[in-house]
Amino acid sequence: MAQNQRRQKILNLIREDGHAKVVDLSRIFKVTDVTIRQDLEELEKQGYIEREHGGAFLKDVSSFAKTGQILNHENIKEKREIAKKAVNFIKEGDCIILDSGSTTTEIAKLLLSIKNLTVITNALNIALILGANPNINLVVTGGEFKAPTLSLTGEMAAQTLSNLHANKLFLATAGISPEMQLSYPSFSDLVVKSTMIKSSDEVFLVADSSKIGYTSFASLGSISLVKALITDSKISEENVRKIEEYNINVIY
């Protein structure tokens, strides 16, 4: 892996988890501790992270928890477009799972007028948006807290989800690789996403078109795990054809 590519993946991982240890990064990327320390030093010089003994953490990471704002606001227009389409598949009386993420947060903002709705989520910012609405029965998982995404993850979150059942899941992803694999920046997310899918009758992947062709750190599995992809109108005809080959409905 090229140096710049490795450093970008390290930054993506820290942006997801909020922190990382040198020993873990060395094992993951199969390079020496010295190389990882050099990578972290460069990322610190660029203003993204702050180093500490044995690792590094995201700069200003505490601000996310204090403000209730998640890190990723890229392509927000497209994400709102996706959210408007997604709510057409949610009706009164449904029980849905909303994954953590910026696109699912936009979906949450549009649910306040739907009555008798049960929402299961691992996202604390989504819980704050929906929690005061008397028309919504809100269920929040436990789990390990990740400040940059305001999400709960890991085995504890998965255990909560394994005991629940939903009509529909609105699943986020960091990237859809050229091989049509769903990928995420953190291993701890994989068990949560997998359990969400198993606990749901229908799975809607919500991802803007910029994520198609992008490979993140850890692979969940084939895009065939989902029933439909809800994306924005910028998706190419070639990508529509590639995804439809997996018998997935592309909605945009």
Side-chain angles (χ1 to χ4, degrees):
M1 183 183 297
Q3 182 186 77
N4 288 341
Q5 184 182 13
R6 184 181 64 250
R7 288 176 177 173
Q8 184 59 52
K9 287 185 179 294
I10 290 171
L11 179 58
N12 289 344
L13 193 152
I14 295 175
R15 280 175 167 170
E16 180 75 13
D17 283 348
H19 60 87
K21 294 181 179 179
V22 169
V23 63
D24 293 333
L25 294 173
S26 177
R27 174 179 51 81
I28 289 166
F29 292 100
K30 297 180 174 61
V31 295
T32 66
D33 289 0
V34 172
T35 298
I36 292 297
R37 290 193 184 96
Q38 291 171 346
D39 291 338
L40 296 178
E41 182 178 0
E42 180 59 31
L43 291 173
E44 184 178 48
K45 286 180 181 178
Q46 294 175 17
Y48 294 117
I49 66 169
E50 293 184 27
R51 288 183 296 160
E52 60 180 351
H53 180 70
F57 57 91
L58 190 65
K59 195 171 184 179
D60 299 325
V61 66
S62 63
S63 65
F64 301 108
K66 291 176 181 177
T67 63
Q69 299 293 318
I70 58 178
L71 175 65
N72 188 359
H73 292 287
E74 296 177 355
N75 303 312
I76 192 64
K77 181 180 177 181
E78 288 78 10
K79 290 171 182 180
R80 287 171 178 163
E81 180 183 332
I82 293 166
K84 288 177 182 178
K85 183 64 70 173
V87 294
N88 292 330
F89 298 92
I90 303 171
K91 62 181 187 298
E92 184 175 335
D94 271 348
C95 176
I96 69 169
I97 298 176
L98 277 186
D99 191 8
S100 61
S102 50
T103 304
T104 49
T105 297
E106 295 303 317
I107 296 174
K109 294 174 183 177
L110 301 178
L111 297 181
L112 300 176
S113 62
I114 301 177
K115 297 181 179 179
N116 191 28
L117 184 66
T118 297
V119 178
I120 304 163
T121 188
N122 65 326
L124 295 186
N125 64 315
I126 289 176
L128 291 173
I129 292 168
L130 301 177
N133 192 314
N135 294 319
I136 293 177
N137 177 33
L138 180 67
V139 179
V140 182
T141 72
E144 302 163 29
F145 178 59
K146 297 199 296 185
T149 57
L150 296 176
S151 64
L152 300 166
T153 191
E155 292 289 348
M156 189 181 298
Q159 184 60 45
T160 303
L161 292 160
S162 68
N163 295 319
L164 301 172
H165 174 262
N167 307 117
K168 296 153 190 169
L169 161 63
F170 294 88
L171 179 71
T173 189
I176 303 170
S177 74
E179 297 76 30
M180 293 291 120
Q181 296 281 308
L182 302 179
S183 62
Y184 296 87
S186 174
F187 281 122
S188 64
D189 285 335
L190 298 186
V191 65
V192 178
K193 314 297 183 184
S194 178
T195 308
M196 284 179 174
I197 291 170
K198 292 175 183 176
S199 299
S200 306
D201 293 332
E202 297 180 283
V203 181
F204 295 86
L205 181 66
V206 289
D208 65 82
S209 58
S210 71
K211 294 183 177 180
I212 302 173
Y214 175 76
T215 304
S216 192
F217 182 69
S219 176
L220 177 66
S222 169
I223 196 172
S224 60
L225 291 167
V226 312
K227 171 188 175 181
L229 167 66
I230 305 177
T231 189
D232 60 80
S233 54
K234 293 181 180 179
I235 186 173
S236 69
E237 291 183 7
E238 179 185 0
N239 281 330
V240 171
R241 287 195 298 271
K242 286 175 66 176
I243 293 167
E244 288 181 339
E245 288 176 1
Y246 289 79
N247 295 318
I248 293 166
N249 186 19
V250 180
I251 304 161
Y252 57 95

